[in-house]
Amino acid sequence: MSNRLRARANPARPGRIAAMTALLLCGVTLLFAYLNKARCAGAPFESNGRSAAFDHIKDGRVCYSDIQFLWLGRDINEHVFPYLTGGITTHGALTGGAVEYPVLSGLLMWLGAIGAHTDATFLLHSALLLAPFALLTAWMLGRLSGMAALLWAAGPPLVLYAFHNWELPVVCTSVGAVYVVTTLTRYSVRTRGVLAAILLGVGFCLKLYPGIFVLPLMIHVLVGGSDGLDALRHRSALWRAVDPDGGVPDEDDAPTRHTRRYDVRGAVMVAATAVATAVLINLPFALIGYQGWRASITFQELRQADITSNSIWFWGLRPLFGDTPGGERSYQDVVATASPMLVVCAFGLAMWLGWRRYRVGGMFPWVGVSGAMLCGFLLLHKVHSPQYTLWLIPFLVLLEIPWSVVVAYLLADASLGIGIFRYFHALGAGSSADFEKHLVLFGVWGRALLLVYLFFAFVYLPVRGQRRAEPARSRYSDDELIPASS
């Protein structure tokens, strides 16, 4: 093999220094994240363990967290094991041990409450339970993308949202899937795909969204692994086939077109593994307490795109229906139909763009397509909670998104993440909320415009470090072993 091909087959990877730096800084950031939320928790406590000050300061001081809020209302304070009892009323109110999240998140909620008798202790226990997932994510991103991982480890979103909800484990599973596929190159593409599918199945049982990444992962395995090292090794093997001497082939050596061999069985195995993982985790809960288990799904189906949703639907579409009788019902009916339909269309467009890139350049960017699908969901879903930003940050780390765009997104996100609570505080106090409303609007629409940009950028921009790892482009195109047209 020539030096050029050897360099291509073994591109440089970020060292352990970046991973350790990200890990240490992430630990410091998590401390500040906890202290930020803990401002809302503490003595004196009410008889049910609720911090007496919580309802009075949670919005004004921007220290609200779902973790502390849900100490009450889901029987967490009663230490009831989730899903096995309870259900949901016709008005969408959860009862008994039912919670609105998939089963593994509900299990984490129950674990965090063990030994806790106040919302402050529940917040502390939950933070200790969740923190290792953020640290592991920081380490994996450092190994994958070098110092860019500091965006996750020391960025504002981790301070604002690390302990806002139970997002850190699901982000860890998504990044873990990328890490497995990218780094465990001693194993076949199919094996790595199946292992990643297990992680995505677990992620689905935490917060659902990693389930959408199974489809691009299937295509990645179907085409035999077409990004990063796999594509380089594939081209290298083809070159050796037409030039047994091991050198770079001449134009006379190159075949007019190589034959693609699709691993259909591998793609099916990825899908089956993800589905089987999700079914095995959910099945015990569904069999023992179906009503409590089903309530979490019904709750999300009934959730409305209201002022708490932070979505383009409420701030863009709702004003068009006015305050006339029936306006709110008509608006909700439109959103209930249009939102899922457009989300599915966005998924289809992302897959088509990824397949088009594969047909043109021989590489299916499964990570980029996954990021684009996530952008479509965040933009078009009826609810866009502030902490969902944690879902997106790893893709900003993994792919070569311009830093100016990253900074712009962080500004829009902070404007919404802080402004929405200040807006609620101003409305509750009966004071003018014009400034706070403009902060929210800047965040909603700034974020929406950037999500549109990122939808396409994720598909077409390379992973971080790929350009530095690869030498000058060969005169042979990626899709065909013929001279690339000038």
Side-chain angles (χ1 to χ4, degrees):
M1 184 185 295
S2 69
N3 290 334
R4 181 190 298 186
L5 292 180
R6 187 176 293 108
R8 281 176 172 266
N10 298 280
R13 289 183 181 176
R16 289 186 174 85
I17 293 177
M20 291 305 299
T21 302
L23 182 67
L24 293 174
L25 286 178
C26 185
V28 175
T29 304
L30 290 172
L31 177 60
F32 283 105
Y34 169 73
L35 293 175
N36 177 46
K37 297 301 184 184
R39 292 181 298 128
C40 271
F45 299 100
E46 299 172 359
S47 59
N48 55 17
R50 167 72 78 210
S51 297
F54 177 72
D55 289 329
H56 304 289
I57 67 174
K58 60 182 174 60
D59 293 329
R61 295 190 183 180
V62 195
C63 56
Y64 169 88
S65 71
D66 289 335
I67 294 176
Q68 188 179 358
F69 176 75
L70 292 176
W71 168 250
L72 300 178
R74 305 294 185 270
D75 277 0
I76 293 173
N77 61 317
E78 301 293 338
H79 306 286
V80 174
F81 195 85
Y83 307 104
L84 303 189
T85 60
I88 189 168
T89 68
T90 55
H91 300 289
L94 293 168
T95 61
V99 298
E100 57 266 52
Y101 305 120
V103 294
L104 291 185
S105 287
L107 187 60
L108 288 172
M109 296 166 71
W110 177 77
L111 289 172
I114 294 177
H117 301 287
T118 66
D119 59 357
T121 307
F122 177 52
L123 176 64
L124 175 61
H125 288 185
S126 297
L128 293 174
L129 188 65
L130 297 173
F133 295 100
L135 295 171
L136 180 56
T137 300
W139 185 85
M140 289 188 292
L141 288 174
R143 294 290 289 166
L144 291 169
S145 302
M147 288 300 179
L150 299 187
L151 174 61
W152 166 266
L158 200 62
V159 176
L160 291 173
Y161 312 126
F163 305 121
H164 188 94
N165 198 288
W166 292 266
E167 310 299 334
L168 297 179
V170 68
V171 176
C172 187
T173 61
S174 298
V175 175
V178 177
Y179 185 83
V180 165
V181 173
T182 304
T183 65
L184 302 186
T185 52
R186 68 176 64 90
Y187 302 106
S188 67
V189 175
R190 181 190 293 180
T191 299
R192 283 178 278 152
V194 169
L195 292 175
I198 295 174
L199 289 172
L200 295 179
V202 171
F204 177 83
C205 297
L206 284 161
K207 281 297 179 75
L208 298 185
Y209 84 89
I212 67 178
F213 304 155
V214 173
L215 186 56
L217 178 61
M218 288 173 58
I219 304 302
H220 173 81
V221 173
L222 176 71
V223 300
S226 55
D227 56 359
L229 284 174
D230 299 310
L232 299 177
R233 288 168 175 162
H234 177 63
R235 290 197 294 270
S236 175
L238 288 172
W239 285 344
R240 288 196 303 273
V242 298
D243 188 6
D245 296 332
V248 175
D250 298 326
E251 294 182 11
D252 292 338
D253 295 326
T256 58
R257 189 173 186 88
H258 67 264
T259 302
R260 293 188 177 93
R261 298 181 63 183
Y262 295 125
D263 185 9
V264 176
R265 183 179 179 184
V268 172
M269 288 177 64
V270 166
T273 299
V275 172
T277 301
V279 169
L280 288 175
I281 293 173
N282 279 275
L283 191 59
F285 295 90
L287 291 177
I288 299 173
Y290 178 78
Q291 294 301 325
W293 173 81
R294 183 66 176 82
S296 64
I297 302 173
T298 304
F299 181 91
Q300 297 299 335
E301 292 173 347
L302 296 177
R303 189 171 180 182
Q304 297 186 336
D306 55 21
I307 196 172
T308 67
S309 67
N310 309 300
S311 68
I312 61 173
W313 297 104
F314 178 81
W315 292 103
L317 185 64
R318 180 62 185 89
L320 300 180
F321 288 82
D323 296 324
T324 59
E328 176 66 17
R329 177 61 181 271
S330 298
Y331 157 71
Q332 295 295 345
D333 289 343
V334 169
V335 173
T337 301
S339 175
M341 180 180 66
L342 291 176
V343 167
V344 171
C345 289
F347 290 172
L349 177 59
M351 291 296 297
W352 179 79
L353 290 173
W355 185 255
R356 184 171 178 268
R357 181 178 171 188
Y358 168 69
R359 295 288 295 178
V360 172
M363 300 199 321
F364 183 80
W366 85 274
V367 175
V369 171
S370 297
M373 295 172 75
L374 179 59
C375 287
F377 177 83
L378 295 177
L379 178 65
L380 299 169
H381 187 51
K382 61 183 177 181
V383 176
H384 189 158
S385 296
Q387 72 272 12
Y388 292 176
T389 298
L390 293 178
W391 303 358
L392 189 69
I393 292 297
F395 291 99
L396 300 179
V397 173
L398 292 167
L399 299 162
E400 284 196 357
I401 303 301
W403 288 110
S404 58
V405 175
V406 173
V407 170
Y409 194 90
L410 294 181
L411 287 174
D413 175 71
S415 179
L416 177 61
I418 297 173
I420 190 65
F421 293 107
R422 294 295 304 172
Y423 181 55
F424 291 156
H425 173 72
L427 291 177
S431 59
S432 173
D434 289 343
F435 175 73
E436 290 82 0
K437 182 177 180 180
H438 282 95
L439 283 178
V440 173
L441 290 174
F442 173 78
V444 168
W445 295 111
R447 192 176 59 180
L449 291 174
L450 290 168
L451 284 173
V452 173
Y453 167 82
L454 291 172
F455 180 91
F456 296 96
F458 281 154
V459 177
Y460 288 102
L461 291 179
V463 297
R464 291 197 185 275
Q466 180 175 300
R467 288 175 177 171
R468 293 188 297 275
E470 292 186 12
R473 179 182 175 90
S474 169
R475 54 182 165 162
Y476 297 100
S477 69
D478 292 325
D479 187 57
E480 301 178 15
L481 286 178
I482 59 175
S485 58
S486 58

